């Protein structure tokens, strides 16, 4: 079973989980409050579980490569009910980041040389068009429901031949019924079926918990109404992540000190009003990163917008002072934009029941950074 998960990860799930974990562990919201940072850490750990291996009794899933209970600290469950993720690999390859993606894949493949089926797995990954994951969190921070949709140009026989070769000694690669479809799994004779892989239609693969995969047959998971509603404020994006908060999320308001200044005290209302949110990354025509928080009402969204705008108004002069004149000059030489222009590119808006924070930079700014990153990578590779 571990091999089935690993091979499916290289069809696209691995890249999705890595991006999600990186974004969430980056504590995008930590600049607003430390508690957001804790939430980000919890989310990163939860999504890290998407690259998983079978664990203990009862079908629990543990992070691959690390035995259950080893080196882990007991943490409270993150106040997250559901996470959805979409990655447009085709658009990413065709973007200004395509070169970096290819370089990263080449380095990843080189590090995996000598492992079984490396070539065919990386060949499959190169044919992935989109990845969509829908995970509902259960007790203990483990998924209680999970289905992942992978759309690929790879032929069915190519996928199955490659995945079949990942079976460990003592495991069998089996065909199993999944509703009206034929699914595939790997397991030992005495193991229950924990996850299945199904080609729902030509080039459209579903992977996940059997009951969830069966329910997704005949549907397009990406068309889920909750996902579409949460990403609506983002616009076209190569990557989109959505979360629905549990009611306990509102309790994070208690982390704001009672004697906090008014500019920070308003964050209590932000926590209490937030029902969910989305994060999106667009690469054209500009590089745009946007975060949208869904509130209980349009009035609450306006209050959230006012709170975040006030905090940003305080942060901007502090950032300018921290960077200093010398640092500002270096940044302008590097990016071709002044620090003031960079800070002014941050927009905080409210529309309907959403409050949105976004930063949009000209494509040439990102291209400069990409060129620098490529040069540094080549220097490192030649060292």
């Amino acid at each position: 079973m571990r091999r089935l998960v690993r091979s499916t990860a290289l069809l696209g799930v691995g890249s999705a989980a890595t991006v999600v974990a990186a974004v969430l562990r980056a504590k995008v919201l930590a600049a607003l409050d430390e508690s957001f940072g804790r939430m980000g850490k919890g989310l990163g750990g939860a999504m890290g579980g998407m690259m998983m291996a079978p664990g203990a009794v009862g079908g629990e899933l543990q992070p691959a490569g690390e035995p259950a209970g080893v080196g882990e600290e007991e943490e409270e469950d993150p106040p997250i009910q559901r996470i959805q993720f979409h990655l447009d690999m085709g658009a990413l390859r065709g973007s200004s980041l395509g070169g970096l993606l290819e370089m990263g894949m080449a380095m990843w493949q080189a590090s995996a040389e000598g492992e079984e089926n490396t070539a065919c797995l990386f060949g499959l990954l190169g044919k992935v068009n989109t990845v969509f994951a829908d995970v509902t969190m259960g007790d203990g921070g483990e998924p209680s429901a999970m289905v992942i949709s992978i759309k690929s140009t790879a032929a069915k026989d190519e996928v199955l031949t490659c995945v079949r070769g990942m079976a460990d000694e003592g495991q069998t690669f089996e065909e199993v019924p999944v509703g009206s479809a034929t699914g595939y799994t790997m397991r030992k004779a005495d193991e229950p079926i924990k996850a299945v892989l199904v080609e729902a239609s030509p080039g459209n693969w579903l992977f996940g918990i059997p009951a969830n995969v069966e329910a997704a047959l005949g549907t397009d998971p990406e068309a889920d109404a909750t996902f579409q509603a949460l990403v609506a404020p983002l616009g076209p994006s190569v990557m989109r992540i959505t979360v629905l908060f549990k009611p306990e999320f509102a309790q994070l308001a208690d982390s704001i000190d009672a004697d906090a200044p008014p500019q920070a005290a308003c964050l209590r209302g932000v926590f209490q009003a937030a029902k969910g949110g989305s994060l999106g990354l667009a690469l054209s025509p500009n590089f745009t990163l946007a975060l949208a928080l869904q509130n209980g009402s349009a009035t609450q969204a306006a209050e959230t917008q006012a709170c975040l705008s006030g905090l940003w108004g305080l942060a901007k002069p502090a950032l300018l002072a921290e960077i200093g004149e010398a640092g500002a000059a270096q940044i302008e030489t590097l990016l071709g934009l002044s620090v003031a222009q960079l800070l002014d590119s941050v927009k905080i808006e409210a529309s309907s029941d959403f409050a949105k924070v976004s930063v949009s930079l000209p494509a040439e700014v990102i291209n400069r950074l990409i060129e620098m990153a490529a040069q540094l990578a080549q220097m490192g590779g030649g060292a």
Side-chain angles (χ1 to χ4, degrees):
M1 188 61 209
R2 172 184 218 121
R3 288 298 188 96
L4 178 62
V5 173
R6 178 179 177 273
S7 56
T8 306
L10 281 174
L11 282 174
V13 180
S15 58
T18 301
V19 172
V20 172
V23 169
L24 294 174
R25 286 196 180 110
K27 301 179 181 179
V28 174
L29 299 176
L32 300 180
D33 187 77
E34 182 182 356
S35 53
F36 267 120
R38 293 196 299 271
M39 182 190 73
K41 181 180 178 182
L43 279 172
M47 290 308 293
M50 286 173 59
M51 292 182 69
M52 56 184 77
V57 180
E60 289 185 271
L61 300 170
Q62 303 293 339
E66 183 174 335
V70 175
E72 297 179 358
E73 294 182 5
E74 186 174 344
E75 295 184 357
E76 295 182 2
D77 293 350
I80 303 300
Q81 174 183 335
R82 188 180 183 186
I83 305 170
Q84 294 171 299
F85 173 85
H86 180 263
L87 180 64
D88 188 336
M89 291 289 289
L92 189 58
R93 291 190 196 98
S95 73
S96 56
L97 294 180
L100 274 185
L101 178 65
E102 290 182 6
M103 185 181 299
M105 289 300 302
M107 294 172 65
W108 187 13
Q109 186 169 5
S111 69
E113 283 185 3
E115 296 187 18
E116 298 176 69
N117 280 22
T118 296
C120 75
L121 286 173
F122 278 94
L124 291 179
L125 182 55
K127 297 179 180 180
V128 171
N129 289 330
T130 62
V131 180
F132 178 80
D134 189 346
V135 181
T136 299
M137 306 307 297
D139 295 335
E142 298 290 349
S144 62
M146 180 180 73
V147 63
I148 297 166
S149 168
I150 304 168
K151 295 180 180 177
S152 169
T153 59
K156 181 176 182 178
D157 287 345
E158 182 182 4
V159 173
L160 296 182
T161 298
C162 189
V163 174
R164 184 181 289 111
M166 300 301 296
D168 281 324
E169 185 177 351
Q171 286 185 323
T172 58
F173 180 82
E174 302 179 24
E175 290 189 5
V176 294
V178 181
S180 59
T182 299
Y184 306 90
T185 192
M186 290 180 194
R187 59 171 175 162
K188 294 183 178 179
D190 57 346
E191 287 183 336
I193 297 174
K194 299 174 183 177
V196 292
L197 179 67
V198 174
E199 188 182 39
S201 61
N204 180 22
W205 294 86
L206 299 175
F207 174 78
I209 297 172
N212 306 137
V213 171
E214 181 177 352
L217 293 173
T219 69
D220 182 0
E222 295 177 26
D224 178 77
T226 298
F227 178 74
Q228 294 299 326
L230 287 172
V231 300
L234 302 177
S237 306
V238 299
M239 182 188 73
R240 295 174 292 178
I241 305 168
T242 69
V243 295
L244 282 178
F245 300 134
K246 293 180 180 178
E248 301 93 283
F249 183 83
Q251 297 173 9
L252 293 175
D254 298 336
S255 64
I256 307 299
D257 292 339
D259 58 351
Q263 295 89 343
C266 67
L267 281 171
R268 295 193 192 96
V270 173
F271 284 114
Q272 293 166 347
K275 306 302 178 186
S278 56
L279 178 71
L281 174 65
L283 299 176
S284 64
N286 293 331
F287 176 93
T288 302
L289 185 66
L291 171 69
L293 283 176
Q294 185 181 45
N295 297 263
S297 67
T299 298
Q300 290 177 328
E303 292 171 349
T304 294
Q305 185 266 342
C307 178
L308 300 182
S309 295
L311 287 171
W312 183 237
L314 291 175
K316 285 171 64 175
L319 286 170
L320 285 169
E322 181 69 22
I323 293 170
E325 292 184 5
Q330 291 177 344
I331 290 173
E332 186 166 0
T333 299
L334 176 66
L335 301 181
L337 289 177
S338 69
V339 173
Q341 287 176 306
L342 290 173
L343 297 180
D344 287 342
S345 68
V346 176
K347 306 298 182 186
I348 304 175
E349 308 162 293
S351 178
S352 184
D353 55 348
F354 283 92
K356 184 172 78 170
V357 181
S358 63
V359 57
S360 184
L361 299 174
E364 54 265 26
V365 173
I366 303 304
N367 290 337
R368 289 192 184 194
L369 292 175
I370 291 172
E371 290 173 4
M372 287 185 58
Q375 291 172 1
L376 290 172
Q378 290 173 351
M379 290 171 61

